[in-house]
Amino acid sequence: MITTSRDPSSRLKMFAKELKLVFPGAQRINRGRHEVGALVRACKANGVTDLIVIHEHRGTPVGFIVSHLPFGPTAYFTLCNVLMRHDIPDLGTVSEAKPHLIIHGFSSRLGKRVSDILRYLFPVPKEDSHRVITFANQNDYISFRHHVYRKTNHRNVELTEVGPRFELKLYMIRLGTLEQEATADVEWRWHPYTNTAHKRVFLSAE
């Protein structure tokens, strides 16, 4: 289930619609005046596996929260460099097939934890699916890319980007679900103000 912060701009609504196309079987709900607790309860009652909430600042999407239901965890990401489908030239059409996943650069223990959180948002694809979604980690920035491909002959394939395109940076993982913010334990949190913060990477073991 995908929703937004309250009073979303038209751009955030459009981004939510585009994300709905990314995740097979996803639904989008207008936030309206719903409290987070009511949203989570409704999702649990209807067998929803994950709740994704996107936030914005002055019309730019800046936050991406994934809460795994029914028991957690909840991962909080900063969103940056968002490029929506209508901003990308020569765009392909979105396939509804279940995508193959390319998950690269998540070699540390925390990296594996994050890659699992992202991987479980997607069902298992069929072998003949021509849709590919990439989460590539470099220096703790996770690049999201979305392509379809077709074989031009037995040796070559042609990739077409279908968008959207964005970067994620993890800043916190909490045990528990989204409405338990006040009581759930923090499993990991990024501390940007420590002396070595700018030198350290967390998602890869290098």
Side-chain angles (χ1 to χ4, degrees):
M1 184 68 74
I2 297 166
T3 191
T4 63
S5 49
R6 285 186 174 170
D7 300 321
S9 66
S10 58
R11 193 165 167 79
L12 193 69
K13 285 181 188 169
M14 180 172 287
F15 186 52
K17 285 179 184 173
E18 293 189 5
L19 283 181
K20 178 181 176 290
L21 299 175
V22 166
F23 302 105
Q27 298 294 317
R28 186 176 62 87
I29 184 171
N30 289 329
R31 177 65 184 269
R33 302 226 167 272
H34 298 302
E35 295 286 340
V36 169
L39 276 176
V40 173
R41 284 193 297 275
C43 286
K44 286 180 180 177
N46 288 283
V48 170
T49 58
D50 295 87
L51 175 63
I52 295 174
V53 183
I54 49 174
H55 293 263
E56 67 183 337
H57 178 69
R58 294 183 179 175
T60 302
V62 293
F64 185 95
I65 302 169
V66 180
S67 190
H68 188 61
L69 304 176
F71 303 118
T74 300
Y76 298 75
F77 298 90
T78 303
L79 260 177
C80 53
N81 301 329
V82 174
L83 206 59
M84 296 201 211
R85 277 176 46 79
H86 66 278
D87 298 329
I88 300 173
D90 304 323
L91 211 59
T93 53
V94 176
S95 161
E96 292 188 8
K98 295 168 183 173
H100 296 287
L101 297 182
I102 297 172
I103 293 181
H104 176 74
F106 296 86
S107 51
S108 70
R109 191 172 166 194
L110 178 67
K112 287 185 170 60
R113 176 81 157 137
V114 172
S115 69
D116 284 347
I117 288 169
L118 297 172
R119 181 186 288 119
Y120 293 145
L121 295 171
F122 297 88
V124 177
K126 293 182 175 165
E127 275 191 29
D128 61 355
S129 171
H130 283 211
R131 186 179 174 199
V132 182
I133 282 178
T134 305
F135 291 99
N137 169 52
Q138 187 169 18
N139 297 329
D140 288 350
Y141 283 90
I142 303 164
S143 296
F144 171 91
R145 299 292 184 269
H146 183 192
H147 295 86
V148 290
Y149 72 89
R150 67 184 187 89
K151 291 185 176 177
T152 51
N153 54 45
H154 68 286
R155 295 181 65 180
N156 298 306
V157 295
E158 187 178 88
L159 271 182
T160 306
E161 186 168 4
V162 291
R165 185 194 295 180
F166 52 84
E167 262 70 52
L168 296 168
K169 185 171 174 64
L170 178 74
Y171 68 89
M172 186 163 59
I173 299 177
R174 280 185 193 274
L175 302 174
T177 49
L178 189 54
E179 87 287 12
Q180 299 167 341
E181 274 189 326
T183 54
D185 289 339
V186 173
E187 179 181 330
W188 182 86
R189 186 198 300 264
W190 185 53
H191 293 285
Y193 303 113
T194 52
N195 291 336
T196 58
H198 64 289
K199 297 175 191 167
R200 295 183 63 191
V201 294
F202 297 95
L203 299 183
S204 64
E206 289 144 27

